[in-house]
Structures are given as structure tokens and as C-alpha cells.
Amino acid sequence: MQINFETPPKTCVVINPVSGTLSPDVKRERIQSALQAHNVPFEIYETTGKEDVTQVVREAVQLGFELFLAVGGDGTVAAVASGLVDTQIPLAVIPTGTWNALARNLDIPLAIDQALELVFQGHRIRVIDAMQVEDKFYILNISTGVGSRTMRRVKREVKRRLGILADLWAGFIELIGFETFWFDVTIDGKQMRFQALEVMVANSKIIGLKAIQLDPEIHMDDGILNVCRLYAGNLIDFFKLAMSILLGKQREDPKLLCLDAMHEVKIHCREKNLPVQGDGDLIGSLPLLVKLRPKAIHIMVPTNFNA
């Protein structure tokens, strides 16, 4: 299925002006130019960081908008998608963030002009699963441990200036004070306890970059969540785990274990106030309950995308 632009849909554009390194004016001008060239009726909403973007989108749905463009990073995309769950209204991703992991996962072009070209010329609609935490939904992954603690270190203004390097440096600093945690995890009612650097509930095989994959067999539309334990007892173990992932041998490495969840995942930890991230943004702290919402979001992908 494709969007029929012969009868242009009423379109809502949600722009995060501070995501990535492109200036807000450049983002706005290119979006406006493309939509006007195709005679698409549209309104633009620029986020401030203070509003509930999901609620803004839900209100726009009630006003009759038929297509949404999320212009920003993975957090912005997740917030917009969260407001579209179960509506069957399509979402187009225009990646302008730091990592753009969802775009990489779905082979959406990372250049803004090419991403817009995909919207108007060569796309199909794919229906993917979502992960629910309270009344919000996420697409890629939800995790707690070293990764989420790293995010807490990174200031927004530093990330905007240095991009991926800010995250990598903060991660290196976090690893210097190497620490693992004991987690109590319940998957579809089955309880277990294990030690880990990070526990991740994943709907996407990619972590940040396409070369970094939890498990090649994770799919976003199979009605299954994957609960992954990443363990390393020291820095040498960590670098061995990283090499296993980069070389595509993650399924052979016992330090990375992924289990299927069909309904829900509960995560507890004795560590107080251990933060939780969802799609690249901090969303709270443990304990955590993640529920699967299958076939929840309609999203544009390239016509030749088959993964």
C-alpha cells in the first residue's frame, strides 16, 4: 500500500528543532518546499521539549490529519508514533537526529531530501509492533543498566555539538567505573535472576548503527519482543562481546542472551533509581513493566525493503 498524493492527505509535520546538527530553519524550509511542490495541505508543529508530543499528535488525529511526518531523532519518532498507535494513520520518518537507529533499521535514507523523496515517490506501508510503558509507546528498544546511565551523563547541548562522539565518550567514562547489576526479570510470568551490564527489551535488531546488532533474527513485525541480557565481568570481557557483535557472532557468545516475550516483561533491580531509556530518551527508573502491542504502527519504508 502507498499514500495516494493525487488526493493529497492533510499532513501534520512534527519537527524537533534541536535534534542533530541541521539548523531549525534548514529543516523547516526543506519540509515546506517539498510539501508545497506536491500541493499537500500541511501544518508544522515545532517541539519545545516541555510539551507531551504524544498528546499533541493524538489531538491532531482528532482534527482529521491523515499523514504524519516526524522530523527528528529516534525519541521524536517514538513520541509521534506513540500518538498513532492503532489508528492506521501512516507515519513518515525524516531522520535528523544523532543516531537515527530506526531509519537505519528500515533502510530509510538519512539525508533529509532523500527521505522526503521516499515519501512522495518510492514507499510502501509496513505495520510494525510497539512496546508499551504505561500510556506511552516505543519502537526500537527499552533498556536499563550501563547504557541508560550513560545517557544520564550526556548534556543536550554537548550532544548537539559533538553528536555520536558525546555518547561514545560518556559510555567510555561509564565503563571505567565498571559495574554490573543483579536483575530480577519476569517474562510472560516466568521469573529469573541474572547479572548483567544491561538488560534490553528489543523490537529492533539494531543498536544505534547498522553494524551493531543484538540478533539478526529480531524482527519488528513478528509479534515477539526480545529480552536481551548483555554481560561482561570486566573490560576485556566487554571488548570481546563488542567484537562478537561486530563480527556477527553474537549468537555464539554466551555473554549475550536473548529470550522471546509474547506478552509482557517486568524488570526489577536492587540498585536504587537505576534509569530506564526508551528509544534514546530517559523515560524513568526501575521497576519497569513493558507490554507488547502487536501490529500497532503503520510506517513508510522503501519499496525494496525486505528485512
Side-chain angles (χ1 to χ4, degrees):
M1 183 180 73
Q2 287 187 328
I3 303 299
N4 180 11
F5 284 98
E6 292 181 3
T7 306
K10 183 180 179 183
T11 299
C12 178
V13 182
V14 179
I15 298 178
N16 182 345
V18 300
S19 65
T21 56
L22 279 179
S23 73
D25 289 341
V26 169
K27 296 176 189 177
R28 192 183 313 109
E29 289 169 5
R30 293 189 183 179
I31 296 291
Q32 288 176 338
S33 177
L35 292 172
Q36 289 169 351
H38 291 84
N39 299 312
V40 176
F42 67 93
E43 292 184 17
I44 290 178
Y45 182 91
E46 292 194 13
T47 64
T48 65
K50 298 178 180 179
E51 71 278 84
D52 184 338
V53 174
T54 296
Q55 186 57 36
V56 169
V57 171
R58 288 170 179 161
E59 291 172 1
V61 169
Q62 295 300 313
L63 292 174
F65 283 92
E66 303 166 287
L67 172 64
F68 284 76
L69 271 63
V71 186
D74 293 314
T76 302
V77 175
V80 176
S82 189
L84 297 176
V85 166
D86 296 336
T87 65
Q88 299 185 11
I89 295 174
L91 169 65
V93 176
I94 311 299
T96 62
T98 303
W99 289 93
N100 301 311
L102 180 63
R104 296 177 194 275
N105 198 100
L106 299 176
D107 288 345
I108 294 169
L110 300 182
I112 187 170
D113 292 331
Q114 293 176 10
L116 286 166
E117 185 176 325
L118 170 69
V119 173
F120 297 110
Q121 295 186 15
H123 72 265
R124 62 185 176 91
I125 304 299
R126 184 174 181 182
V127 186
I128 63 173
D129 305 327
M131 299 171 289
Q132 182 176 359
V133 177
E134 297 179 350
D135 64 342
K136 294 294 192 299
F137 296 85
Y138 303 91
I139 303 173
L140 293 166
N141 58 66
I142 299 167
S143 71
T144 183
V146 169
S148 57
R149 293 215 314 189
T150 296
M151 288 181 186
R152 194 166 57 183
R153 285 181 176 270
V154 182
K155 303 297 183 184
R156 179 178 287 274
E157 57 273 17
V158 176
K159 188 167 183 174
R160 178 164 174 76
R161 188 171 70 252
L162 299 178
I164 289 175
L165 289 177
D167 289 333
L168 294 176
W169 176 250
F172 176 73
I173 297 299
E174 191 70 39
L175 285 171
I176 288 177
F178 205 90
E179 187 176 2
T180 57
F181 311 94
W182 280 99
F183 293 96
D184 293 300
V185 180
T186 305
I187 301 175
D188 297 338
K190 183 179 180 180
Q191 298 181 7
M192 60 195 72
R193 172 176 290 185
F194 46 67
Q195 193 175 12
L197 276 175
E198 186 94 0
V199 176
M200 181 172 291
V201 183
N203 189 41
S204 164
K205 60 188 175 184
I206 291 175
I207 314 174
L209 301 176
K210 202 157 189 176
I212 307 176
Q213 298 189 9
L214 281 170
D215 187 330
E217 295 305 314
I218 295 177
H219 302 286
M220 302 183 76
D221 58 359
D222 59 1
I224 300 172
L225 296 180
N226 297 83
V227 185
C228 298
R229 181 211 66 181
L230 291 88
Y231 173 78
N234 50 53
L235 281 174
I236 293 175
D237 277 354
F238 174 81
F239 287 115
K240 286 181 177 178
L241 173 61
M243 287 304 298
S244 293
I245 292 173
L246 289 171
L247 295 173
K249 297 181 179 180
Q250 53 273 76
R251 289 192 138 201
E252 304 169 18
D253 194 326
K255 294 185 290 297
L256 174 56
L257 172 67
C258 290
L259 304 170
D260 291 348
M262 302 296 190
H263 302 289
E264 66 178 32
V265 181
K266 298 177 183 178
I267 304 174
H268 296 259
C269 182
R270 292 181 180 180
E271 174 82 10
K272 291 184 178 179
N273 301 317
L274 195 60
V276 175
Q277 71 80 27
D279 287 359
D281 285 339
L282 292 174
I283 62 173
S285 58
L286 293 182
L288 173 69
L289 172 63
V290 182
K291 296 182 178 180
L292 171 65
R293 182 69 70 89
K295 306 294 183 184
I297 299 166
H298 288 62
I299 194 164
M300 286 187 182
V301 299
T303 53
N304 59 355
F305 179 74
N306 293 313

